[in-house]
Amino acid sequence: MLDSYIAAYNDAVFDTDRDEALRVVQRALDDGASPEDIVFRLVVPAMDQMIKAISEDFDANLAQHFMTAQIANEVTESMLRRFTAPPQALGRIVMGTARGDMHSLGKRIVMGCLKAQMVECVDLGVNVAPDRFVDEAVAQRASVIGISAMMSHTARGPDGCLGVRRLLQERGLEHRIRIIVGGAPYRFDPDLYRVVQADAWAEDGITAGKVIAGLLTELPPWP
Amino acid sequence: MRRLCIHSYRGEQRVPCVAGTVLRDALLAHGVGLAGTCDGGGTCGRCRVTLSPAPPLTPSERLHLSDRDTARGVRLACRVTVTTDLHVTLDAPASAGWRALDLPTHDRLRPRLARARRGQSLRRATTRDASALAVAVDLGTTHVRVSLWDLWQGRRLAAQIGPNPQAMFGVDVLSRLARAAASPADAARMADAVVAALGEAIRDLCLAAGHDVSAIERVVIVGNTAMLALLTRHNTDALLDPAQWTQAIDCTPRDPDGWRRAWRLSPAADILVVPPLAGFVGSDLVAAVLATHLCASRDPAVLIDFGTNTEVACWDGDTLHTTSAAGGPAFEGSGVGCGMPAERGAIVRVERATTPPRHLRIDVLGGGEPLGVSGSGLVDAIACFIDAGQLTPAGRFTDPRRGAPLVIAAGASGRDIALSKRDIDVFQRAKAAIGAATRLLLDEAGLREVDVQRLCVCGAFGEHLASAHARSIGLLPSVADARIELHGHAALSGAERLLEPGRPVRDLGDIRARARVLNLATAPRYEDAFIAHLALRPAATEEIVGC
């Protein structure tokens, strides 16, 4: 039933036509689709497709990606409010950009994708110091810390992931909290995440959802 | 030991290289700088070189380079480790040196003769034949503008524009700051490069005007904060820390005597580096505000100083709201494939013919064959492609042929001057950053577009920008043509006014006292506004509501 809407929704998103995308969603809902269907079978696959198109096309347009992610976020947020049962979260992540890094758009897209995949996200904003990552993770009882870095020096520097790792060690939190990193420098050097002592990295929001789901299974729940 | 044979527009150069060195570092060590914004991180794809023999491709190069390029040996210098002897071919730089800058000849400072008559004490008042000169400098990220003045007559003798030689360390502000923080030796080289370039410009200008460099009494330098910090070697680390971005940054020269010696000035020459407003709002903006008399009346006015680091000011009659948006060098002709500065051979205007088949008509600066497209030509071309339906406001190409670029004109070398998807993307993101900055400043000042009595467009576009095209794609806010003023070199003009002591210096103080700095990085609505401004259509005139 939903199949006929998938193509129409994808077209609208590809054209970054927000109003048309929302109309397609409304028609699908009127036709009996559930808000859960819209998120899991419409929004997430469309985002996945967009990400694939971008990673395959060296000439891809990031501006379009930002705009389509914005539409996806908007649809997801409104659908989440209409879920029949409260969304069952896989787990919770605190997320921010590394100290010194003000590039927030990648994080924004990834968080949109994570929400659609039922990962609860606490946004710590940009330019987040290592101790704030750790303090907030503890305060929010989050199992994963997500650190986004778009520049080489913020990815590799001592105030980024390396600083967070040092604090987790010092405070004896390593058995409870995992670190996932993302951003351009990790994409170009797939081993960089190990160099900066992260547990994992993900190159896009959809992959991040899967990787985080994996990390969560290794961890005991917060007491 | 391996050998590199470097082929460039300068000729051929053979240099030794230790096996295992990264090619980009090896080239830099021999004074060959390449474009780049990621400090060798493999993320920006700018440090292109053509290699023979071509080494195997890395994932980063697959992403950044087309199949056609990789097949002919194009690689990214930061991804290549030297293991064998290599032939390295460099692209010709967009602009290779200094050239004359055409400025209005009617610009005047108050002649010293007039002031002498009013009884001011003057050292040389009696020796009328001794010259008294002054130099104004606008130190931009991509370009440096320098002018030479005769203080007796109060008129400009000549002016020059040239590339900022630091571009070899990184095309944008952040990559240069990161480089300076990582390597004190490179920080010193960046400062020295600018001091040397300024010396060259000062010497050339004096030579052409037939004056002696020792007659220079005053040098006034304005620029964006990072450029001033890199020049004076102050606080470059602090500028990488966002907490410092709204703080005042000290940019007084550490060793003005060293500069005087390097420039062969008299030991008594006065050197003033006009202090920036904050970590990301430079004295170039203050100078542009001074030159355009933005705060001279109660009328609300907006000034946008387009450049690699675009700064925006919004005057509400009482307070000057300022910010900057790091848009990248798209408007200065070095961010897009066929981009070039607005100099001879540049397409500066593009229009669609009014009669079918409505081909594009181009204006080439200086006539002749087009070599590339300037910032203003780029704006025109994009507006025309949207108008023709070849490009959607989202930035999508409607031509179903994958990868087919949008052709502006056939180039001189048989290569089309054309825009790729990536060029459009770079432009969209730059203009969205500036659109969002302008929107947030207007909101901050409580102004609507209709309230804006003057929109001063300064910087990279010069006098060529077609305001209707710029508005149609949302580069400029919706302000009527009659209220739009094009000021090509406002920051330099402001620096020139400061060559004269007294009133302008007091005005500068007033402007600083009334200025407030908005840090977009911490403005919660910035992201929404940025995304709303990505589309190539007229900017929304209402406040952006976050969703």
Side-chain angles (χ1 to χ4, degrees), chain A residues 4 7 14 59 74 94-95 112 122 127 143 151 172 180 185 187 206:
Chain A
S4 61
F14 191 54
D59 219 11
E74 201 178 329
V94 292
M95 223 177 136
V122 179
N127 185 32
S143 306
M151 296 181 289
I180 181 170
R187 180 170 304 183
I206 300 289

Side-chain angles (χ1 to χ4, degrees), chain A residues 1-2 25 28-30 32-44 75-85 87 116 118:
Chain A
M1 181 276 298
L2 209 53
V25 167
L29 287 170
D30 293 345
S34 69
E36 287 86 342
D37 283 340
I38 301 286
V39 172
F40 300 133
R41 295 177 55 201
L42 210 61
V43 177
V44 174
V75 173
T76 306
E77 294 281 343
S78 85
M79 291 303 114
L80 284 177
R81 286 195 293 273
R82 295 162 73 163
F83 269 27
T84 39
M118 302 300 113

Side-chain angles (χ1 to χ4, degrees), chain B residues 3-8 13 23 27 32 34 49-52 77 86-90:
Chain B
R3 262 187 329 192
L4 302 177
C5 182
I6 306 169
H7 308 265
S8 72
Q13 188 187 359
L23 180 60
L27 292 172
V32 177
L34 296 167
V49 288
T50 309
L51 301 182
S52 168
L86 281 175
H87 285 271
V88 184
T89 307
L90 309 174

Side-chain angles (χ1 to χ4, degrees), chain B residues 22-342:
Chain B
V22 174
L23 180 60
R24 179 175 180 270
D25 297 338
L27 292 172
L28 206 54
H30 291 284
V32 177
L34 296 167
T37 58
C38 68
D39 196 26
T43 60
C44 76
R46 303 286 299 273
C47 57
R48 297 161 54 110
V49 288
T50 309
L51 301 182
S52 168
L57 284 168
T58 63
S60 163
E61 290 167 317
R62 282 204 184 88
L63 197 78
H64 283 297
L65 304 171
S66 68
D67 294 345
R68 204 172 66 182
D69 282 342
T70 55
R72 57 185 188 89
V74 177
R75 296 291 184 273
L76 299 179
C78 72
R79 298 293 92 188
V80 174
T81 305
V82 178
T83 54
T84 60
D85 292 356
L86 281 175
H87 285 271
V88 184
T89 307
L90 309 174
D91 289 341
S95 177
W98 294 98
R99 63 189 164 87
L101 181 61
D102 288 328
L103 293 171
T105 49
H106 53 78
D107 289 347
R108 285 286 182 273
L109 292 175
R110 201 140 45 95
R112 185 169 282 184
L113 282 172
R115 275 184 281 131
R117 279 198 294 272
R118 289 171 61 187
Q120 290 192 8
S121 86
L122 283 163
R123 255 184 307 134
R124 296 207 190 91
T126 49
T127 51
R128 296 252 327 250
D129 54 352
S131 53
L133 306 176
V135 171
V137 177
D138 171 20
L139 181 56
T141 312
T142 307
H143 288 114
V144 186
R145 295 169 174 82
V146 184
S147 68
L148 178 72
W149 284 72
D150 178 328
L151 292 176
W152 280 107
Q153 300 178 18
R155 71 181 181 94
R156 189 189 297 111
L157 296 170
Q160 283 189 342
I161 183 168
N164 184 326
Q166 292 172 345
M168 66 164 68
F169 296 91
V171 297
D172 64 19
V173 166
L174 269 182
S175 48
R176 277 182 226 173
L177 290 172
R179 185 86 202 176
S183 157
D186 281 344
R189 290 167 66 192
M190 275 190 265
D192 293 347
V194 170
V195 171
L198 290 178
E200 200 177 298
I202 291 171
R203 195 194 54 219
D204 288 357
L205 285 169
C206 286
L207 206 63
H211 286 276
D212 197 90
V213 177
S214 63
I216 293 171
E217 294 184 1
R218 189 171 168 85
V219 177
V220 171
I221 302 171
V222 302
N224 76 50
T225 313
M227 288 311 106
L228 297 181
L230 286 168
L231 171 66
T232 59
R233 302 204 53 197
H234 276 299
N235 300 302
T236 45
D237 287 2
L239 285 174
L240 280 172
D241 176 4
Q244 304 284 325
W245 288 358
T246 48
Q247 307 295 312
I249 300 282
D250 176 19
C251 290
T252 29
R254 286 181 190 205
D255 179 22
D257 283 332
W259 294 2
R260 286 185 194 101
R261 281 193 301 275
W263 299 339
R264 300 178 196 283
L265 304 186
S266 106
D270 181 25
I271 298 176
L272 171 67
V273 176
V274 181
L277 271 182
F280 61 91
V281 182
S283 54
D284 49 353
L285 182 75
V286 188
V289 167
L290 182 72
T292 53
H293 305 280
L294 201 75
C295 310
S297 86
R298 304 286 290 179
D299 291 340
V302 170
L303 181 149
I304 308 178
D305 190 9
F306 285 95
T308 303
N309 189 57
T310 295
E311 291 166 334
V312 188
C314 176
W315 169 246
D316 64 10
D318 180 58
T319 301
L320 185 73
H321 305 269
T322 65
T323 194
S324 78
F331 309 124
E332 301 210 48
S334 60
V336 294
C338 61
M340 68 178 286

Side-chain angles (χ1 to χ4, degrees), chain A residues 60-73:
Chain A
N61 185 318
L62 277 179
Q64 269 178 65
H65 186 37
F66 292 145
M67 291 189 275
T68 56
Q70 178 84 346
I71 298 171
N73 280 353

Side-chain angles (χ1 to χ4, degrees), chain A residues 10 16 39 47 58 75 118-119 128 138 140 146 169 178 182 200 220:
Chain A
N10 280 352
T16 65
V39 172
M47 202 67 195
F58 95 101
V75 173
M118 302 300 113
V119 176
V128 181
V138 172
Q140 303 283 347
Q169 277 166 358
R178 294 281 183 268

Side-chain angles (χ1 to χ4, degrees), chain A residues 16-34:
Chain A
T16 65
D17 185 341
R18 168 187 172 273
D19 296 343
E20 177 58 19
L22 294 180
R23 277 195 294 273
V24 173
V25 167
Q26 192 54 52
R27 284 205 300 275
L29 287 170
D30 293 345
D31 211 5
S34 69

